Amino acid sequence: MFKRSFAILMCLIFCMTVGAQGEKPKEEKTVYVAKKDKKWYTVTAIFSVHKQYPELQKALGNILFGIEDASLQNAFESYLNTYDKCTIPQKKEATMGCRETFTVKYLSGEPDKYLCYIVSHVKTSQENNRIVTQNNDLFNIIFDVEQEKILTLKDVLVPDKVAEVRGLIGSAFPQMHMDNEKITVGCMKNGKMMAVEMFYELYTNAFTEQFKQKFDWEAIVQRAEKKVYDYVDEKPTFPGGDNEMIKWIKENINYPEEAKTSELYEILICSSIVGKDGSLSDIKVNSSKTGESTLANELSHLLEQMPKWNPGVLYGCPVKALRTFAITFDKGNITLGDKSKALDVVEEMPQFKGGNQAVMDYLRNAIKYPPVAEENGIQGRVVCTFVIERDGSITDVKVVRSVDPSLDKEAVRVIKSMPRWIPGKQNGSNIRVNFTLPVTFKLQ
């Protein structure tokens, strides 16, 4: 019941970890050659496991070989008896025939608390001079040292959260991996990888009390209260949306007469931290004008009187988030956004923090391949244009070269989700810049 087949690439992503915190056990490798159905197999066991925990040994033996109440090594040796013949390999025999490999690899953990492992079983054979995969199981488990058992959803999450995750991954056996930042739950559903990441600081009320004891939960809660997120799934919004915000500003601002009659427009870049309760703090207003701005001072005072916003949302949880926006004042008119012309080329072009490779890494990790496109084998490169604003935020995302509606929509979503770029500069000042970015979708 534990085994599920996983695409190799998705498993590699799912199994990434911040590194082992406990003592890493020594890797032990044993190789045999075995004959079954007139075929010779090279059978390999590669085990890196903490031997001091008998229940862990039994659980791994049951998962990989379906043998209960036996150590991992004993279970492997019992499995070898299912072959017609089994011997220590000789040089000639070891290079012949098919392959069967069992792997248990320690990933990370903390002594006396939990241990994370990746477990795999790969079997291939030769059919008409072709290598055919007969079995490819790969999954993650968490062994709770104190409870001496492999953790289940009910061990980790409160009932409401178990039901929520089950709604996403179905009834399949959940695979889990965790570190000091988050826990990841995944499984195969309808032939596709489903994964849910839960960061402790965001889901402070989602975990059982017993699970929380494995961490400094007080520090996690304090971190959650202090952290301000630059990127969120849903940005903070004024009640009713941006149009209602501009309407409220028009109704309440004291628009100076000299600003109404000026031939020059003025752009104000506003930023504030929106708390989990929607309150605004750390309000800043900068003007495109040089010198002191009456409008900037007036708008700054007005923002302090704003009603509470709808907070930002990350992974389904309200969080403290930074919200920036621009307002253009032009001859008595007030409009949302920077209405100055965006340039195609400037002295210092905008940059994603970390450079071009960081952009590619971000896209690769953020893209969620649309199921409809995956089912129909649709892939290709979607080309998008957008504007990088004076504050580095992204606006006006458009598809200029389409592949498929589902891929186009995902490309736009991923670009909109990007954190702020380092803005472009002209004559030493931040300026709006047009940018083009291809987003490649490729099935593995």
Side-chain angles (χ1 to χ4, degrees):
M1 62 182 274
F2 291 101
K3 297 184 178 180
R4 295 294 185 272
S5 296
F6 279 75
I8 292 295
L9 178 63
M10 292 305 297
C11 286
L12 290 176
I13 294 173
F14 179 61
C15 297
M16 286 190 300
T17 177
V18 296
Q21 297 179 19
E23 182 181 351
K24 186 174 181 179
K26 181 181 178 181
E27 180 180 289
E28 297 182 359
K29 181 177 180 179
T30 54
V31 182
Y32 292 87
V33 290
K35 186 178 181 181
K36 179 182 289 187
D37 299 328
K38 299 181 180 180
K39 294 179 182 179
W40 279 99
Y41 287 82
T42 300
V43 185
T44 305
I46 306 173
F47 297 152
S48 172
V49 62
H50 295 80
K51 293 184 177 179
Q52 64 267 42
Y53 304 114
E55 294 304 319
L56 171 61
Q57 292 272 321
K58 293 178 183 178
L60 292 172
N62 189 23
I63 291 171
L64 273 181
F65 307 107
I67 299 174
E68 298 183 356
D69 296 324
S71 70
L72 183 57
Q73 187 63 37
N74 288 340
F76 173 58
E77 292 173 0
S78 296
Y79 176 79
L80 291 174
N81 292 329
T82 63
Y83 279 89
D84 300 328
K85 181 180 179 180
C86 183
T87 64
I88 300 297
Q90 296 176 8
K91 187 175 182 180
K92 183 177 179 181
E93 289 177 317
T95 62
M96 298 172 55
C98 312
R99 300 284 185 271
E100 185 165 21
T101 303
F102 299 92
T103 304
V104 178
K105 182 179 180 181
Y106 172 62
L107 294 176
S108 65
E110 288 200 11
D112 304 323
K113 291 186 179 181
Y114 67 90
L115 305 171
C116 297
Y117 289 89
I118 181 172
V119 183
S120 70
H121 172 211
V122 180
K123 185 176 183 179
T124 60
S125 65
Q126 291 180 337
E127 305 289 343
N128 298 322
N129 296 321
R130 292 191 309 115
I131 300 297
V132 177
T133 300
Q134 295 179 305
N135 196 90
N136 186 11
D137 292 337
L138 185 67
F139 50 94
N140 293 72
I141 62 166
I142 304 171
F143 180 74
D144 188 304
V145 176
E146 295 175 329
Q147 299 186 67
E148 295 187 337
K149 60 176 290 189
I150 292 176
L151 291 180
T152 66
L153 283 179
K154 291 182 179 180
D155 297 315
V156 175
L157 303 173
V158 297
D160 289 348
K161 185 57 66 172
V162 171
E164 180 182 328
V165 173
R166 278 295 181 195
L168 295 172
I169 70 173
S171 59
F173 173 74
Q175 304 190 45
M176 293 188 288
H177 175 255
M178 72 186 198
D179 52 38
N180 283 328
E181 297 292 329
K182 66 183 183 299
I183 186 167
T184 304
V185 180
C187 76
M188 285 295 289
K189 183 179 180 182
N190 299 327
K192 298 178 181 64
M193 177 66 182
M194 298 291 294
V196 183
E197 285 188 320
M198 286 171 280
F199 287 83
Y200 306 135
E201 62 192 40
L202 298 178
Y203 292 82
T204 52
N205 298 318
F207 300 101
T208 65
E209 291 302 318
Q210 192 170 27
F211 182 78
K212 290 179 182 180
Q213 293 174 7
K214 303 181 189 312
F215 307 94
D216 185 350
W217 207 258
E218 183 177 347
I220 289 174
V221 173
Q222 291 177 354
R223 185 173 65 201
E225 293 299 322
K226 293 178 181 179
K227 189 165 184 177
V228 178
Y229 291 87
D230 185 34
Y231 157 72
V232 291
D233 295 328
E234 299 177 25
K235 68 180 181 180
T237 56
F238 186 88
D242 291 341
N243 290 336
E244 288 298 317
M245 179 180 70
I246 292 299
K247 180 181 177 182
W248 185 88
I249 291 174
K250 289 179 178 178
E251 292 173 350
N252 292 279
I253 195 169
N254 179 20
Y255 203 142
E257 288 297 324
E258 64 271 18
K260 289 182 180 180
T261 58
S262 174
E263 293 295 322
L264 300 175
Y265 61 78
E266 184 175 354
I267 300 165
L268 300 182
I269 308 296
C270 311
S271 69
S272 67
I273 295 173
V274 182
K276 290 192 291 187
D277 63 350
S279 59
L280 304 186
S281 62
D282 197 24
I283 296 169
K284 298 176 183 177
V285 180
N286 296 312
S287 173
S288 59
K289 288 175 56 178
T290 57
E292 186 174 355
S293 168
T294 304
L295 264 176
N297 292 332
E298 175 62 27
L299 183 59
S300 180
H301 292 308
L302 184 61
L303 294 182
E304 294 175 353
Q305 304 169 34
M306 264 190 171
K308 289 186 175 182
W309 287 37
N310 301 314
V313 176
L314 183 59
Y315 295 102
C317 303
V319 295
K320 292 173 70 175
L322 183 64
R323 172 69 196 274
T324 62
F325 55 91
I327 298 179
T328 299
F329 291 81
D330 186 13
K331 298 179 182 178
N333 295 317
I334 304 175
T335 54
L336 183 66
D338 187 339
K339 301 306 177 184
S340 61
K341 183 180 179 180
L343 301 181
D344 295 323
V345 180
V346 293
E347 293 173 351
E348 297 181 32
M349 291 295 289
Q351 289 186 353
F352 190 84
K353 294 178 181 177
N356 292 336
Q357 185 57 50
V359 175
M360 297 301 103
D361 291 343
Y362 182 87
L363 294 176
R364 183 175 61 254
N365 293 327
I367 286 175
K368 299 177 181 177
Y369 217 104
V372 64
E374 188 175 11
E375 291 171 1
N376 291 283
I378 300 173
Q379 55 186 357
R381 187 170 70 164
V382 180
V383 180
C384 297
T385 62
F386 50 92
V387 175
I388 299 176
E389 299 290 346
R390 297 170 189 262
D391 64 347
S393 61
I394 292 174
T395 62
D396 198 25
V397 183
K398 297 177 181 177
V399 175
V400 295
R401 183 181 297 170
S402 172
V403 173
D404 175 82
S406 64
L407 297 187
D408 297 348
K409 183 177 179 181
E410 177 62 9
V412 170
R413 183 196 71 80
V414 170
I415 290 176
K416 286 184 175 180
S417 75
M418 281 185 167
R420 281 192 292 274
W421 288 47
I422 300 171
K425 289 183 179 292
Q426 187 80 353
N427 298 323
S429 299
N430 291 1
I431 195 166
R432 306 178 76 220
V433 180
N434 292 316
F435 207 89
T436 301
L437 184 67
V439 181
T440 300
F441 294 85
K442 185 175 182 180
L443 293 168
Q444 301 299 323

